[in-house]
Coordinates of all heavy atoms in Angstrom, one line a residue:
F1 N -23.9 32.7 74.0 CA -23.0 33.0 72.9 C -22.6 31.8 72.2 O -22.2 30.8 72.7 CB -21.7 33.7 73.5 CG -20.6 33.9 72.6 CD1 -20.7 34.9 71.6 CD2 -19.5 33.1 72.6 CE1 -19.7 35.1 70.8 CE2 -18.4 33.3 71.8 CZ -18.5 34.3 70.8
L2 N -22.8 31.8 70.9 CA -22.4 30.6 70.0 C -21.5 31.1 68.9 O -21.8 32.1 68.3 CB -23.7 30.0 69.4 CG -23.5 28.9 68.4 CD1 -22.9 27.7 69.1 CD2 -24.8 28.5 67.8
C3 N -20.4 30.4 68.7 CA -19.4 30.8 67.7 C -19.2 29.5 66.8 O -18.9 28.5 67.3 CB -18.1 31.2 68.4 SG -16.8 31.5 67.2
R4 N -19.4 29.7 65.5 CA -19.1 28.6 64.6 C -18.0 29.1 63.6 O -18.1 30.1 63.1 CB -20.3 28.3 63.8 CG -21.3 27.4 64.5 CD -22.3 26.8 63.6 NE -23.2 26.0 64.4 CZ -24.5 26.4 64.7 NH1 -24.9 27.5 64.2 NH2 -25.2 25.6 65.4
I5 N -17.0 28.2 63.5 CA -15.9 28.5 62.6 C -15.9 27.4 61.6 O -15.8 26.2 61.9 CB -14.6 28.6 63.4 CG1 -14.6 29.7 64.4 CG2 -13.4 28.8 62.4 CD1 -13.5 29.7 65.4
A6 N -15.9 27.8 60.3 CA -15.8 26.8 59.2 C -14.5 27.0 58.5 O -14.2 28.1 58.1 CB -17.0 27.0 58.3
Y7 N -13.8 25.9 58.5 CA -12.5 26.0 57.8 C -12.5 24.9 56.7 O -12.4 23.7 56.9 CB -11.4 25.6 58.8 CG -10.0 25.7 58.3 CD1 -9.4 26.9 57.8 CD2 -9.2 24.5 58.2 CE1 -8.1 26.9 57.3 CE2 -7.9 24.6 57.7 CZ -7.4 25.8 57.3 OH -6.1 25.8 56.8
W8 N -12.7 25.4 55.5 CA -13.0 24.5 54.4 C -11.8 24.0 53.6 O -11.9 23.3 52.7 CB -14.0 25.1 53.5 CG -15.3 25.4 54.2 CD1 -15.8 26.6 54.4 CD2 -16.2 24.5 54.8 NE1 -17.0 26.5 55.2 CE2 -17.3 25.2 55.4 CE3 -16.2 23.1 54.9 CZ2 -18.3 24.6 56.1 CZ3 -17.3 22.5 55.6 CH2 -18.3 23.2 56.2
K9 N -10.6 24.5 53.9 CA -9.5 24.2 53.1 C -8.8 22.9 53.5 O -8.1 22.3 52.6 CB -8.4 25.3 53.2 CG -8.9 26.6 52.7 CD -7.8 27.7 52.7 CE -8.3 29.0 52.1 NZ -7.3 30.0 52.2
R10 N -9.0 22.4 54.7 CA -8.3 21.2 55.1 C -9.1 20.4 56.0 O -9.7 20.9 56.9 CB -7.0 21.7 55.7 CG -6.1 20.5 56.2 CD -4.8 21.0 56.7 NE -4.1 19.9 57.2 CZ -2.9 19.9 57.8 NH1 -2.3 21.1 57.9 NH2 -2.3 18.9 58.2
R11 N -9.0 19.1 55.9 CA -9.7 18.2 56.8 C -8.7 17.8 57.9 O -7.5 17.6 57.6 CB -10.1 16.9 56.0 CG -10.7 15.9 56.9 CD -11.0 14.6 56.1 NE -11.6 13.6 56.9 CZ -10.9 12.7 57.5 NH1 -9.6 12.6 57.4 NH2 -11.6 11.8 58.3
I12 N -9.2 17.7 59.1 CA -8.4 17.1 60.2 C -8.4 15.6 60.1 O -9.5 15.0 60.1 CB -8.9 17.6 61.6 CG1 -8.8 19.1 61.7 CG2 -8.1 16.9 62.7 CD1 -9.4 19.7 62.9
E13 N -7.3 15.0 59.9 CA -7.2 13.5 59.6 C -7.8 12.7 60.8 O -8.6 11.8 60.6 CB -5.8 13.1 59.4 CG -5.2 13.7 58.1 CD -5.9 13.1 56.9 OE1 -6.2 11.9 56.9 OE2 -6.0 13.9 55.9
N14 N -7.4 13.1 62.0 CA -7.8 12.3 63.2 C -8.2 13.3 64.3 O -7.4 13.9 65.0 CB -6.7 11.4 63.7 CG -7.1 10.6 64.9 OD1 -8.0 10.9 65.6 ND2 -6.4 9.4 65.0
V15 N -9.5 13.6 64.4 CA -10.0 14.6 65.3 C -9.7 14.3 66.8 O -9.3 15.1 67.5 CB -11.6 14.8 65.2 CG1 -12.1 15.7 66.3 CG2 -11.9 15.4 63.8
E16 N -9.8 13.0 67.2 CA -9.5 12.6 68.6 C -8.1 12.9 68.9 O -7.7 13.3 70.0 CB -9.9 11.2 68.8 CG -11.4 11.0 68.8 CD -12.2 11.9 69.7 OE1 -11.8 12.1 70.9 OE2 -13.2 12.5 69.3
E17 N -7.2 12.6 68.0 CA -5.7 12.8 68.2 C -5.5 14.3 68.3 O -4.7 14.8 69.1 CB -4.9 12.2 67.0 CG -3.5 12.3 67.2 CD -2.9 11.3 68.2 OE1 -3.6 10.4 68.6 OE2 -1.8 11.6 68.7
A18 N -6.1 15.1 67.4 CA -5.9 16.6 67.4 C -6.4 17.2 68.7 O -6.0 18.3 69.0 CB -6.7 17.2 66.2
R19 N -7.3 16.6 69.4 CA -7.9 17.1 70.7 C -6.9 16.9 71.9 O -7.1 17.5 72.9 CB -9.2 16.5 71.0 CG -10.3 16.9 70.1 CD -11.6 16.2 70.4 NE -12.5 17.2 71.0 CZ -13.8 17.2 70.7 NH1 -14.3 16.3 69.9 NH2 -14.6 18.2 71.2
K20 N -5.9 16.1 71.7 CA -4.9 15.8 72.8 C -4.0 17.0 73.0 O -3.6 17.7 72.0 CB -4.1 14.6 72.4 CG -4.9 13.3 72.4 CD -4.0 12.1 72.1 CE -4.8 10.9 72.1 NZ -4.0 9.7 71.8
P21 N -3.7 17.3 74.3 CA -2.7 18.4 74.6 C -1.4 18.2 73.8 O -0.9 17.1 73.7 CB -2.5 18.3 76.1 CG -3.7 17.5 76.6 CD -4.1 16.6 75.5
L22 N -0.9 19.3 73.4 CA 0.4 19.4 72.7 C 0.4 18.7 71.3 O 1.5 18.6 70.7 CB 1.5 18.8 73.6 CG 1.7 19.5 74.9 CD1 2.8 18.9 75.7 CD2 1.9 21.0 74.8
Y23 N -0.7 18.3 70.8 CA -0.8 17.7 69.5 C -0.5 18.8 68.4 O -0.9 19.9 68.5 CB -2.1 17.1 69.1 CG -2.2 16.7 67.7 CD1 -1.7 15.5 67.2 CD2 -2.8 17.6 66.8 CE1 -1.8 15.2 65.9 CE2 -2.9 17.2 65.4 CZ -2.4 16.0 65.0 OH -2.4 15.7 63.7
T24 N 0.3 18.5 67.4 CA 0.6 19.3 66.3 C 0.7 18.5 65.0 O 1.2 17.4 65.1 CB 1.8 20.2 66.5 OG1 2.0 21.1 65.3 CG2 3.1 19.4 66.7
S25 N 0.2 19.0 63.9 CA 0.3 18.4 62.7 C 1.6 18.8 62.0 O 2.0 18.3 60.9 CB -0.9 18.7 61.8 OG -0.9 20.0 61.5
K26 N 2.3 19.7 62.6 CA 3.6 20.2 62.0 C 4.8 19.6 62.7 O 5.4 20.3 63.5 CB 3.6 21.8 62.1 CG 2.4 22.5 61.5 CD 2.5 22.5 60.0 CE 1.3 23.3 59.5 NZ 1.3 23.3 58.1
E27 N 5.0 18.4 62.4 CA 6.1 17.6 63.0 C 7.4 18.3 62.7 O 7.6 18.8 61.6 CB 6.2 16.2 62.5 CG 4.9 15.5 62.8 CD 5.0 14.4 63.8 OE1 6.1 14.0 64.1 OE2 3.9 13.9 64.2
G28 N 8.3 18.4 63.7 CA 9.6 19.0 63.5 C 9.7 20.5 63.7 O 10.7 21.1 63.6
E29 N 8.5 21.1 63.9 CA 8.5 22.6 64.1 C 8.2 22.9 65.5 O 7.7 22.1 66.3 CB 7.4 23.2 63.2 CG 7.7 23.1 61.7 CD 6.7 23.9 60.9 OE1 6.1 24.8 61.4 OE2 6.5 23.5 59.7
E30 N 8.6 24.1 66.0 CA 8.3 24.5 67.4 C 6.9 25.0 67.5 O 6.6 26.1 67.3 CB 9.4 25.5 67.8 CG 10.8 25.0 67.8 CD 11.5 25.3 69.0 OE1 10.9 25.9 70.0 OE2 12.7 24.9 69.1
R31 N 6.0 24.1 67.8 CA 4.6 24.4 68.0 C 4.1 23.7 69.3 O 4.5 22.6 69.6 CB 3.8 24.0 66.8 CG 4.1 24.8 65.6 CD 3.2 24.3 64.4 NE 3.5 25.1 63.3 CZ 2.7 26.0 62.8 NH1 1.6 26.3 63.4 NH2 3.0 26.7 61.7
S32 N 3.2 24.4 70.0 CA 2.7 23.8 71.2 C 1.5 23.0 71.0 O 1.1 22.1 71.8 CB 2.5 24.9 72.3 OG 1.4 25.8 71.9
G33 N 0.7 23.2 70.0 CA -0.5 22.5 69.7 C -1.5 22.5 70.8 O -2.0 21.5 71.2
M34 N -1.8 23.7 71.3 CA -2.7 23.9 72.4 C -4.1 24.3 72.0 O -5.0 24.5 72.8 CB -2.2 25.0 73.4 CG -0.9 24.6 74.0 SD -1.0 23.2 75.1 CE -1.8 24.0 76.5
G35 N -4.4 24.5 70.7 CA -5.7 25.0 70.2 C -6.9 24.4 70.7 O -7.7 25.1 71.4
F36 N -7.1 23.1 70.5 CA -8.4 22.5 71.0 C -8.4 22.4 72.5 O -9.4 22.5 73.1 CB -8.6 21.1 70.3 CG -9.0 21.2 68.9 CD1 -8.3 20.5 67.9 CD2 -10.1 22.0 68.5 CE1 -8.7 20.6 66.6 CE2 -10.5 22.0 67.2 CZ -9.8 21.3 66.2
T37 N -7.2 22.1 73.1 CA -7.1 22.0 74.5 C -7.6 23.3 75.2 O -8.4 23.3 76.2 CB -5.7 21.7 75.0 OG1 -5.2 20.5 74.4 CG2 -5.6 21.6 76.5
I38 N -7.2 24.4 74.7 CA -7.6 25.7 75.3 C -9.1 26.0 75.0 O -9.8 26.4 75.9 CB -6.7 26.8 74.7 CG1 -5.3 26.7 75.3 CG2 -7.3 28.2 75.1 CD1 -4.3 27.6 74.7
M39 N -9.6 25.7 73.8 CA -11.0 25.9 73.4 C -11.9 25.1 74.3 O -12.9 25.6 74.9 CB -11.2 25.5 72.0 CG -10.8 26.5 71.0 SD -11.3 26.1 69.3 CE -9.9 25.2 68.7
E40 N -11.5 23.8 74.5 CA -12.3 22.9 75.4 C -12.3 23.3 76.8 O -13.3 23.1 77.6 CB -11.9 21.5 75.2 CG -12.3 21.0 73.8 CD -11.8 19.6 73.5 OE1 -10.7 19.2 73.9 OE2 -12.5 18.9 72.7
R41 N -11.2 23.9 77.3 CA -11.1 24.3 78.7 C -12.0 25.5 79.0 O -12.6 25.6 80.0 CB -9.7 24.7 79.0 CG -9.4 25.3 80.3 CD -9.4 24.2 81.4 NE -9.0 24.7 82.6 CZ -9.7 24.6 83.8 NH1 -10.8 23.9 83.8 NH2 -9.3 25.1 84.9
F42 N -12.1 26.5 78.1 CA -12.9 27.7 78.3 C -14.3 27.8 77.8 O -15.0 28.7 78.1 CB -12.1 28.9 77.8 CG -10.8 29.1 78.6 CD1 -9.6 28.8 78.2 CD2 -10.9 29.7 79.9 CE1 -8.4 29.0 78.9 CE2 -9.8 29.9 80.7 CZ -8.5 29.5 80.2
M43 N -14.6 26.8 76.9 CA -16.0 26.8 76.4 C -16.8 25.8 77.1 O -16.3 24.8 77.6 CB -15.9 26.5 74.9 CG -15.1 27.5 74.1 SD -15.6 29.2 74.2 CE -17.0 29.3 73.1
D44 N -18.2 25.9 77.0 CA -19.1 25.0 77.6 C -19.2 23.7 76.7 O -19.3 22.6 77.2 CB -20.5 25.6 77.8 CG -20.4 26.7 78.9 OD1 -19.7 26.5 79.8 OD2 -21.2 27.6 78.7
S45 N -19.1 23.9 75.4 CA -19.1 22.8 74.5 C -18.3 23.1 73.2 O -18.3 24.3 72.8 CB -20.5 22.3 74.1 OG -21.1 23.3 73.2
V46 N -17.6 22.1 72.7 CA -16.9 22.3 71.4 C -17.2 21.0 70.6 O -17.0 19.9 71.1 CB -15.3 22.3 71.7 CG1 -14.6 22.4 70.4 CG2 -15.0 23.5 72.5
E47 N -17.7 21.3 69.4 CA -18.0 20.2 68.5 C -17.1 20.4 67.2 O -17.0 21.5 66.7 CB -19.5 20.2 68.1 CG -20.4 19.9 69.2 CD -21.8 19.9 68.8 OE1 -22.1 19.8 67.6 OE2 -22.7 20.0 69.7
I48 N -16.5 19.3 66.8 CA -15.7 19.3 65.6 C -16.2 18.3 64.6 O -16.4 17.2 64.9 CB -14.2 19.0 66.0 CG1 -13.7 19.9 67.1 CG2 -13.3 19.1 64.7 CD1 -12.5 19.4 67.8
E49 N -16.5 18.8 63.4 CA -16.9 18.0 62.2 C -15.8 18.1 61.2 O -15.5 19.2 60.8 CB -18.2 18.4 61.7 CG -19.4 18.3 62.7 CD -20.7 18.8 62.1 OE1 -21.0 18.5 60.9 OE2 -21.3 19.6 62.8
S50 N -15.3 17.0 60.7 CA -14.3 17.1 59.6 C -14.6 16.0 58.6 O -14.8 14.8 58.9 CB -12.9 16.8 60.3 OG -11.9 17.2 59.4
V51 N -14.7 16.5 57.3 CA -15.2 15.6 56.3 C -14.1 15.6 55.2 O -13.7 16.7 54.7 CB -16.5 16.0 55.7 CG1 -17.0 15.1 54.5 CG2 -17.6 16.1 56.8
L52 N -13.7 14.4 54.8 CA -12.7 14.3 53.7 C -13.2 14.9 52.4 O -14.3 14.7 52.0 CB -12.4 12.8 53.5 CG -11.3 12.4 52.4 CD1 -10.0 13.0 52.9 CD2 -11.2 11.0 52.2
G53 N -12.3 15.8 51.8 CA -12.7 16.4 50.6 C -13.5 17.7 50.8 O -13.8 18.4 49.8
V54 N -14.0 18.0 52.0 CA -14.8 19.1 52.2 C -14.1 20.1 53.1 O -13.9 21.3 52.8 CB -16.2 18.7 52.9 CG1 -17.0 19.9 53.2 CG2 -16.9 17.8 51.9
G55 N -13.8 19.7 54.4 CA -13.1 20.6 55.3 C -13.5 20.3 56.7 O -14.1 19.3 57.0
T56 N -13.3 21.3 57.6 CA -13.6 21.1 59.0 C -14.4 22.3 59.5 O -14.3 23.4 59.1 CB -12.2 21.2 59.8 OG1 -11.4 20.1 59.3 CG2 -12.5 21.0 61.3
K57 N -15.4 22.0 60.4 CA -16.3 23.0 61.0 C -16.1 22.8 62.5 O -16.3 21.7 63.0 CB -17.7 22.8 60.6 CG -18.6 23.8 61.3 CD -20.0 23.8 60.7 CE -20.8 22.6 61.2 NZ -22.2 22.5 60.9
V58 N -15.8 23.9 63.2 CA -15.7 23.9 64.7 C -16.8 24.7 65.2 O -17.0 25.9 64.9 CB -14.4 24.4 65.2 CG1 -14.3 24.4 66.7 CG2 -13.2 23.5 64.6
S59 N -17.7 24.2 66.1 CA -18.7 24.9 66.8 C -18.4 25.0 68.3 O -18.2 24.0 68.9 CB -20.1 24.3 66.6 OG -20.4 24.2 65.2
M60 N -18.4 26.2 68.8 CA -18.1 26.4 70.2 C -19.3 27.2 70.9 O -19.9 28.1 70.3 CB -16.9 27.2 70.4 CG -15.6 26.6 69.8 SD -14.2 27.6 69.9 CE -14.5 28.7 68.6
E61 N -19.6 26.8 72.1 CA -20.7 27.4 72.8 C -20.2 27.8 74.2 O -19.5 27.1 74.9 CB -21.9 26.5 72.9 CG -23.2 27.1 72.8 CD -24.3 26.1 72.7 OE1 -24.2 25.0 72.0 OE2 -25.3 26.3 73.4
K62 N -20.6 29.0 74.6 CA -20.3 29.5 75.9 C -21.4 30.4 76.5 O -21.9 31.3 75.8 CB -19.0 30.4 75.9 CG -18.6 31.0 77.2 CD -18.1 30.0 78.1 CE -17.6 30.5 79.5 NZ -17.2 29.5 80.4
E63 N -21.9 30.0 77.6 CA -23.0 30.8 78.3 C -22.4 31.9 79.0 O -21.5 31.7 79.9 CB -23.9 29.9 79.2 CG -25.0 30.7 79.8 CD -25.9 29.9 80.7 OE1 -25.7 28.6 80.7 OE2 -26.7 30.4 81.5
I64 N -22.8 33.1 78.7 CA -22.2 34.3 79.4 C -23.4 34.9 80.3 O -24.4 35.3 79.8 CB -21.7 35.3 78.4 CG1 -20.6 34.7 77.6 CG2 -21.2 36.6 79.2 CD1 -20.1 35.6 76.5
K65 N -23.2 34.8 81.6 CA -24.2 35.3 82.5 C -24.0 36.7 82.8 O -22.9 37.2 83.0 CB -24.2 34.4 83.8 CG -24.4 33.0 83.5 CD -24.3 32.2 84.8 CE -24.6 30.7 84.4 NZ -24.5 29.9 85.6
K66 N -25.1 37.4 83.0 CA -25.1 38.8 83.4 C -24.6 39.0 84.9 O -25.1 38.2 85.7 CB -26.4 39.5 83.2 CG -26.5 40.9 83.4 CD -27.8 41.5 83.1 CE -27.8 43.0 83.4 NZ -29.2 43.6 83.1
S67 N -23.7 39.8 85.1 CA -23.2 40.1 86.5 C -24.2 40.9 87.3 O -24.9 41.8 86.8 CB -21.9 40.8 86.4 OG -21.4 41.1 87.7
N68 N -24.3 40.5 88.6 CA -25.3 41.3 89.5 C -24.6 42.4 90.2 O -25.2 43.0 91.1 CB -25.9 40.3 90.5 CG -26.8 39.3 89.8 OD1 -27.4 39.6 88.8 ND2 -26.9 38.1 90.4
T69 N -23.4 42.8 89.8 CA -22.7 43.8 90.5 C -22.9 45.2 89.9 O -23.3 45.3 88.8 CB -21.1 43.6 90.5 OG1 -20.7 43.5 89.2 CG2 -20.8 42.4 91.3

């Protein structure tokens, strides 16, 4: 299973900072900032590309195995 999400409206200023638990770009608001932390926990791979003036693309991959039951 491969999921690609392209978000072209906004660039993530600092991808490494955004990947930290509880990070939020909305300072002063009640937000937990768990997005990337949760994605990285449950997916096999998460790649983030962010380009100034273009936007952000997030690619996530998860292998789903067929159950033998």
Side-chain angles (χ1 to χ4, degrees):
F1 171 73
L2 175 63
C3 176
R4 282 197 180 102
I5 299 170
Y7 181 66
W8 300 114
K9 294 183 180 181
R10 182 174 174 182
R11 176 184 180 266
I12 297 172
E13 294 292 325
N14 185 333
V15 173
E16 291 308 311
E17 186 73 18
R19 291 179 112 141
K20 292 180 180 178
L22 303 178
Y23 171 82
T24 181
S25 61
K26 305 287 185 183
E27 303 247 346
E29 293 185 25
E30 297 231 2
R31 295 181 176 255
S32 64
M34 299 292 286
F36 287 127
T37 303
I38 291 171
M39 284 187 265
E40 291 176 325
R41 175 78 173 128
F42 291 102
M43 302 303 281
D44 294 325
S45 73
V46 175
E47 294 179 17
I48 305 163
E49 297 175 48
S50 196
V51 179
L52 183 62
V54 178
T56 300
K57 179 173 73 174
V58 178
S59 298
M60 299 176 281
E61 220 173 313
K62 178 70 177 175
E63 182 177 348
I64 300 174
K65 298 177 182 178
K66 186 176 179 180
S67 176
N68 291 331
T69 58

